[in-house]
Amino acid sequence: HDILIDVWVADLGGYIQLKKAAVAAISGGKGALDVEICQLVKLLRDGQEVKMSKRAGTFVTLREVVDEVGADAVRFMMLYRKNDAPLDFDLAKVVEQSKENPVFYVQYAHARSASVFRQAKEVFGAEITAAELATAKLALLTHEGERGLMKLIAQYPRLIEQAATNREPHRVAFYLYELASALHGHWSRGKEDVSLRFVNDKNRELTVARLALVDALMSVLGSGLRVLGVSAPLEMR
């Protein structure tokens, strides 16, 4: 391989140039080493740091954290920051059902999107078909909230490309949170103004257009979560 990637903890940063020189020498200058530096994770319980010491043999393993809060929370929160930024991993926060918990907020957006289709089925007595969604009149979506969602969805392919090229997976997590926030925000507008709700029992054509938007949103949320190795639930209780 002509490009090698190592992931190191921050206190080994002083060895980077030495290791790069060794790789260049061994490969005859044909191999390049790229070292990604990651900061340590500080574990918090009830707002207090969990003290760990290798010398004393007191530490919490990653398996124990996964068993306590779940793999989804661990994966999302570990990626919800830049590699070189320290992380305070609060065991209480990551299971909280609130906007302050990014993994819940994004998963809830996916589940909320799925609930729109169940609601439409109840209202119209049958599922809105894929063929209807494919021919939806998107020009009917004129509200700034709907247009904002469209613009965010359109960014996804380029966002994935940039995250991969720059080796910055946190971009995906940040983007998913922004997209989820936009959905929840527009949902709240529908509570105040019934004409903005995704399902309109008096206007099927408009409903189909809005469901096409929700379908695209749900697809992007699901894809982004899969990229991060996090589940995309259809319901959350």
Side-chain angles (χ1 to χ4, degrees):
H1 301 286
D2 56 357
I3 298 177
L4 309 173
I5 302 173
D6 272 5
V7 180
W8 291 3
V9 71
D11 56 4
L12 295 178
Y15 295 94
I16 292 177
Q17 294 307 318
L18 179 64
K19 197 69 174 281
K20 282 187 173 183
V23 169
I26 293 170
S27 67
K30 296 179 181 179
L33 175 66
D34 183 13
V35 179
E36 297 289 340
I37 290 294
C38 288
Q39 292 289 341
L40 294 173
V41 176
K42 185 186 296 182
L43 201 61
L44 304 177
R45 189 186 298 279
D46 299 324
Q48 300 297 316
E49 182 180 356
V50 178
K51 297 295 183 181
M52 290 185 259
S53 169
K54 287 185 290 184
R55 195 169 292 174
T58 56
F59 55 86
V60 179
T61 66
L62 181 59
R63 169 55 57 192
E64 290 173 314
V65 176
V66 170
D67 287 343
E68 183 168 340
V69 302
D72 284 350
V74 173
R75 284 177 176 153
F76 197 97
M77 292 307 297
M78 292 289 281
L79 293 168
Y80 194 65
R81 65 180 177 110
K82 295 182 178 179
N83 285 346
D84 57 0
L87 172 65
D88 289 347
F89 192 99
D90 193 320
L91 292 165
K93 287 284 185 185
V94 298
V95 294
E96 218 175 64
Q97 294 192 348
S98 73
K99 184 178 181 180
E100 305 307 314
N101 178 5
V103 63
F104 166 78
Y105 202 57
V106 173
Q107 287 182 316
Y108 185 43
H110 188 272
R112 177 168 264 182
S113 298
S115 74
V116 174
F117 284 89
R118 292 193 294 270
Q119 182 188 356
K121 183 178 180 180
E122 289 178 9
V123 169
F124 295 107
E127 291 184 353
I128 304 295
T129 66
E132 282 186 278
L133 295 178
T135 57
K137 295 182 179 180
L138 300 181
L140 296 174
L141 305 179
T142 58
H143 189 272
E144 61 178 335
E146 296 167 334
R147 293 300 179 101
L149 284 168
M150 283 191 235
K151 290 176 181 177
L152 276 175
I153 290 169
Q155 294 174 16
Y156 183 61
R158 183 69 185 276
L159 182 281
I160 288 292
E161 180 183 2
Q162 291 174 334
T165 300
N166 296 298
R167 302 187 194 112
E168 295 181 338
H170 68 274
R171 293 191 185 204
V172 181
F174 287 176
Y175 167 80
L176 292 177
Y177 185 85
E178 183 181 4
L179 187 58
S181 183
L183 170 69
H184 294 313
H186 195 64
W187 184 285
S188 296
R189 293 188 195 100
K191 288 184 177 180
E192 300 171 2
D193 183 351
V194 295
S195 70
L196 295 177
R197 292 179 182 176
F198 291 111
V199 178
N200 187 325
D201 59 350
K202 296 179 176 60
N203 192 334
R204 184 185 178 95
E205 191 174 52
L206 177 59
T207 296
V208 170
R210 287 175 173 169
L211 288 187
L213 174 61
V214 175
D215 185 57
L217 175 76
M218 190 175 170
S219 176
V220 168
L221 285 171
S223 174
L225 286 169
R226 285 191 296 274
V227 166
L228 301 182
V230 177
S231 65
L234 297 178
E235 290 186 83
M236 294 183 74
R237 302 183 185 279

